[in-house]
Amino acid sequence: MKRQHYLILIGLITLTGILGFVGSNSKEENADTEVTFGKEMAYADNLSGTKLSKDSSKLDEKKADVDNELVKINDELNALEEEVEVAHEETTASYYHDKFNGRRTASGKVFSNKFYTAAHKTLPFGTKVRVTNLNNDETVIVEINDRGPFVGARQLDLSKKAFMDLTHNRNRGTLQVKVEVLPDDYEEKRTELEEELNSIAFIPNGLDLNEFAL
C-alpha cells in the first residue's frame, strides 16, 4: 500500500472513531436528559397529587362541618316542635262577620278582619296558636284576643283573613282544623333557625330541608 493511501485510511479510521465517540456522548446526554425530564415530571405529578390530596381533605372537613351544623339545627327544630302542645286534634272553626270590624274584643283590643287573630273559649289572651286545615294541610298562626265562639261545638272563631288563607274558598263558612298552642317566641326562634339553614352554601345530598316547612 502506498504511503498516501495509508494516510487516507488512517484519517478515515480516526474520523470514524471521532464521530462514533460524539454519537455515543450525544446518546448518553439524551438519555440523561430523558431521565432528568422524567424525574421532573414525576416530581410535578407528586406536587399535583399532594395539592389534590390537601384540597380533598379540606373539602371533607368542610362537608363534615356542614353536616354537624345541619344536625345541630335539625335537633333545635325538633326540640322547638316538641314544645308545641295540641289544644284540639280536630275541631270546627268559623270566621267573624265584617260587622264586628272596629268593635272591642274581650281582651280590649279593637277587632279587624284584616289581622291574624282568633277567639277561643278558654285559652289565655295573647296565646299564639297554629291552625291547620285538615283537608289540605294549609296552616296559619293567629293570636287569641277574644272569647267565643258560642255556637254549637265550635271551638275557634278566626278572622276572615286567617280563615281565607286556610281555604281560599269564600263559599265555606266552617272548616275542620287542628289547633296547636305555640311556645313563647316560637316564630322568632324558627325564623332564626331557618335563616341559619339558608346561610349554608353547601347542602349534603339526602337531607330534606322541607321536613320542617310549615
Side-chain angles (χ1 to χ4, degrees), residues 11 13 35 82 91 97 125:
I13 292 173
V35 170
E82 287 177 359
T91 190
H97 192 280
F125 296 138

XYZ file of all heavy atoms in Angstrom, residues 11 13 35 82 91 97 125:
56
model
N -6.757 8.346 8.333
C -7.623 9.507 8.555
C -9.081 9.106 8.649
O -9.838 9.601 9.493
N -10.250 6.160 9.494
C -10.465 5.412 10.736
C -10.583 6.376 11.916
O -11.428 6.239 12.797
C -9.307 4.409 10.962
C -9.356 3.319 9.901
C -9.368 3.809 12.360
C -8.166 2.357 9.924
N -33.928 11.100 31.508
C -34.040 10.705 32.909
C -34.378 11.918 33.776
O -35.250 11.880 34.637
C -32.739 10.038 33.396
C -32.774 9.860 34.910
C -32.560 8.696 32.712
N -91.220 20.034 69.745
C -91.663 19.239 70.892
C -92.339 20.110 71.953
O -93.080 19.605 72.798
C -90.463 18.502 71.505
C -89.988 17.327 70.640
C -88.757 16.651 71.219
O -88.271 17.116 72.285
O -88.272 15.684 70.613
N -111.334 20.025 65.427
C -112.485 20.813 65.865
C -112.985 21.671 64.710
O -112.351 21.729 63.654
C -112.135 21.708 67.079
O -113.341 22.277 67.595
C -111.178 22.809 66.675
N -117.913 37.844 61.072
C -118.609 38.664 60.090
C -117.978 40.060 60.092
O -117.431 40.518 61.106
C -120.106 38.759 60.454
C -120.948 39.333 59.371
N -121.032 40.686 59.129
C -121.762 38.732 58.467
C -121.832 40.912 58.112
N -122.314 39.736 57.687
N -105.484 35.193 76.645
C -105.263 36.229 75.635
C -103.759 36.362 75.345
O -102.931 36.291 76.258
C -105.819 37.570 76.104
C -107.304 37.581 76.300
C -107.884 38.213 77.394
C -108.142 36.953 75.382
C -109.259 38.229 77.572
C -109.519 36.970 75.554
C -110.076 37.601 76.647
